[in-house]
């Protein structure tokens, strides 16, 4: 079965750090970019970061730049989100998602997140 | 930065009725990069529509996406009980790959 499984969430104090993992099963994660998305309690989905297949291209949401670092290990079929200097407003469920690129017969490209993990909760509180 | 605005914030309807959800972008972008997701409480988000109008695998034809430029629409016909959830549009044209704030579809 094709699936993504996140782990590493938990309770951390403000200013602390956590490292989230996203492990792929049933497919080769190396063939896909990976996105991290979060949802704070009562809030909308929020895109966090993206890492390309090789790890050469990385983007972050502005509020995460300088605090969060995304990486991957294709040999382990895993991606990671290192979160430092955590704040209360970083409390959320964090999801990883596979980015699927599709090219149609007219050579149009489509990018969308077609496989998602169930998420791992992060709580930042003293 | 592309900002997506969804309307309405909440939509109250009964099973069997049809729902129309809107997503407005702050600037025009490639419609191939506009996606819709369904999110039920406690579950992973689920891809419904990619490229503005293409249904994802196993998505029933009651779900239809349309639009281009800055205006996009998700229409759900003949609402089933399992359709009551939160729906998000999302763009993958340029980072940050933003989501709209969501439309909550609730049972009337």
């Amino acid at each position: 079965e094709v699936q993504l499984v996140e782990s590493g969430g938990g309770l951390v104090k403000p200013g602390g750090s956590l490292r989230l993992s996203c492990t792929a099963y049933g497919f080769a994660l190396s063939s896909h970019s990976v996105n991290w998305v979060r949802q704070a309690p009562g809030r909308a989905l929020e895109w966090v970061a993206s890492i390309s297949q090789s790890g050469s291209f990385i983007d972050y949401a502005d509020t995460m730049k300088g605090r969060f670092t995304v990486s991957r290990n294709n040999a382990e079929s895993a991606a990671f989100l290192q979160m430092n200097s955590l704040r209360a407003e970083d409390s959320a469920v964090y999801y990883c998602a596979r980015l699927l690129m599709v090219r149609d017969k007219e050579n149009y490209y489509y990018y969308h997140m077609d496989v998602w993990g169930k998420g791992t909760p992060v709580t930042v509180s003293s | 930065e592309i900002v997506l605005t969804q309307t309405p914030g909440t939509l109250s309807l009964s099973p069997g009725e049809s729902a129309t959800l809107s997503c407005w972008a702050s600037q025009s972008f490639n419609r191939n990069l506009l996606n819709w997701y369904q999110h039920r409480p406690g579950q992973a988000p689920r891809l419904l529509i990619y490229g503005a109008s293409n249904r994802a695998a196993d998505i029933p034809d009651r779900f239809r996406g349309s639009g281009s430029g800055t205006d996009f629409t998700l229409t759900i016909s003949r609402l089933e009980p399992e359709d009551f959830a939160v729906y998000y549009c999302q763009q993958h044209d340029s980072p940050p790959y933003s989501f709209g704030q969501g439309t909550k579809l609730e049972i009337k």
Side-chain angles (χ1 to χ4, degrees), chain A residues 36-39 45-50 59-70 81-87 89-90 92 94, chain B residues 96:
Chain A
W36 288 91
V37 174
R38 71 183 184 182
Q39 184 180 38
L45 296 176
E46 179 182 22
W47 175 78
V48 172
S50 176
D59 291 295
Y60 298 98
D62 285 346
T63 55
M64 289 72 167
K65 284 179 184 174
R67 300 189 302 124
F68 289 14
T69 302
V70 64
L81 183 66
Q82 176 68 43
M83 304 187 295
N84 299 330
S85 303
L86 283 163
R87 310 162 180 165
E89 53 266 34
D90 293 318
Y94 284 74

Side-chain angles (χ1 to χ4, degrees), chain B residues 32-71:
Chain B
N32 291 351
L33 302 170
L34 187 283
N35 307 310
W36 289 92
Y37 299 88
Q38 177 191 67
H39 196 197
R40 299 185 180 119
Q43 296 187 18
R46 175 191 182 196
L47 175 69
L48 291 177
I49 301 286
Y50 67 92
S53 59
N54 301 281
R55 278 187 299 277
D58 299 326
I59 301 301
D61 60 7
R62 301 185 293 102
F63 292 86
R64 186 172 71 86
S66 62
S68 63
T70 60
D71 301 348

Side-chain angles (χ1 to χ4, degrees), chain B residues 15-26:
Chain B
E17 293 188 300
S18 294
T20 301
L21 288 64
S22 296
C23 175
W24 313 82
S26 59

Side-chain angles (χ1 to χ4, degrees), chain A residues 106-126:
Chain A
E106 296 173 349
N107 273 336
Y108 290 119
Y109 286 83
Y110 302 83
Y111 292 89
H112 43 277
M113 292 176 272
D114 72 323
V115 177
W116 293 68
K118 295 182 178 180
T120 186
V122 171
T123 302
V124 184
S125 174
S126 54

